[in-house]
Amino acid sequence: MHIDSDLYQRVLGEELRKLRRRRGWTRKELNQHLQSDISLQTLATYELGTRQCSVVRLVELCLAMDELPQDLLARVHRRVFTDEPGKVRLDLPHVVADRRPELLPLRRWAEDRLRQPGAPREVQLDKPAIDRMAELCGLASTELLALLHQDGLDPGGGG
């Protein structure tokens, strides 16, 4: 099994940010619950997935937020390594880079998603969403899925 370390780090960061926000904490408030001294910038880079987090630091962050580290890692693992049944995973930057005219509505949608603060670079779409996107592109759902899979826009090959 190949590990995309950038994707893994990004998803881990997203899960840490979700966990903090669920508690209603700012990064500064989280920092006040930690044993060690971590800068707010370091916390931000963990959440953005641009800095690797040591195992000990990850455990400290989880415990401060009353989360078992294994539960957090299980969520990350599911998001990185498994596709939900019936869903298609899309790599949004690859969709944006695709210049075929028939995919213009999909490209515009992906550009909009990527502009949103904290947006994931990959999303999973269910069948109704794929059907609607295919309709907007003037394609049959099967044609859209074939295009996405053949060009690596769907890294999971789902569908």
Side-chain angles (χ1 to χ4, degrees), residues 5-108:
S5 59
D6 290 339
L7 173 62
Y8 198 94
Q9 200 61 46
R10 197 168 49 251
V11 171
L12 177 62
E14 289 169 11
E15 289 296 328
L16 285 169
R17 183 173 52 253
K18 277 196 249 178
L19 191 56
R20 176 181 56 79
R21 287 182 175 166
R22 240 182 319 207
R23 293 197 63 87
W25 289 352
T26 63
R27 288 186 188 112
K28 187 175 182 178
E29 290 168 320
L30 169 58
N31 201 12
Q32 293 167 351
H33 290 85
L34 297 174
Q35 284 180 199
S36 51
D37 188 29
I38 303 173
S39 74
L40 297 181
Q41 180 63 36
T42 296
L43 285 175
T45 57
Y46 289 156
E47 289 185 359
L48 291 170
T50 57
R51 175 180 282 183
Q52 290 191 2
C53 186
S54 73
V55 173
V56 173
R57 181 64 48 86
L58 179 63
V59 170
E60 181 182 1
L61 289 166
C62 287
L63 294 178
M65 295 185 280
D66 293 325
E67 177 80 3
L68 292 173
Q70 62 267 30
D71 292 345
L72 179 84
L73 288 173
R75 284 195 305 278
V76 172
H77 186 86
R78 276 193 304 276
R79 286 184 58 195
V80 172
F81 293 110
T82 61
D83 290 326
E84 294 179 40
K87 292 196 176 187
V88 174
R89 186 167 30 128
L90 292 182
D91 182 310
L92 297 180
H94 283 103
V95 171
V96 169
D98 190 296
R99 293 293 169 207
R100 286 174 292 184
E102 64 269 24
L103 295 182
L104 179 61
L106 182 62
R107 185 168 58 250
R108 286 183 176 158

Side-chain angles (χ1 to χ4, degrees), residues 95-153:
V95 171
V96 169
D98 190 296
R99 293 293 169 207
R100 286 174 292 184
E102 64 269 24
L103 295 182
L104 179 61
L106 182 62
R107 185 168 58 250
R108 286 183 176 158
W109 171 81
E111 287 169 345
D112 184 56
R113 289 291 302 257
L114 287 170
R115 275 191 221 106
Q116 297 172 10
R121 294 171 51 90
E122 287 191 3
V123 297
Q124 289 190 14
L125 300 180
D126 59 13
K127 181 162 178 16
I130 289 292
D131 291 345
R132 179 73 179 123
M133 195 55 70
E135 181 182 325
L136 290 172
C137 292
L139 301 167
S141 297
T142 53
E143 292 173 305
L144 178 60
L145 289 170
L147 287 173
L148 296 175
H149 181 64
Q150 111 190 11
D151 292 323
L153 301 178

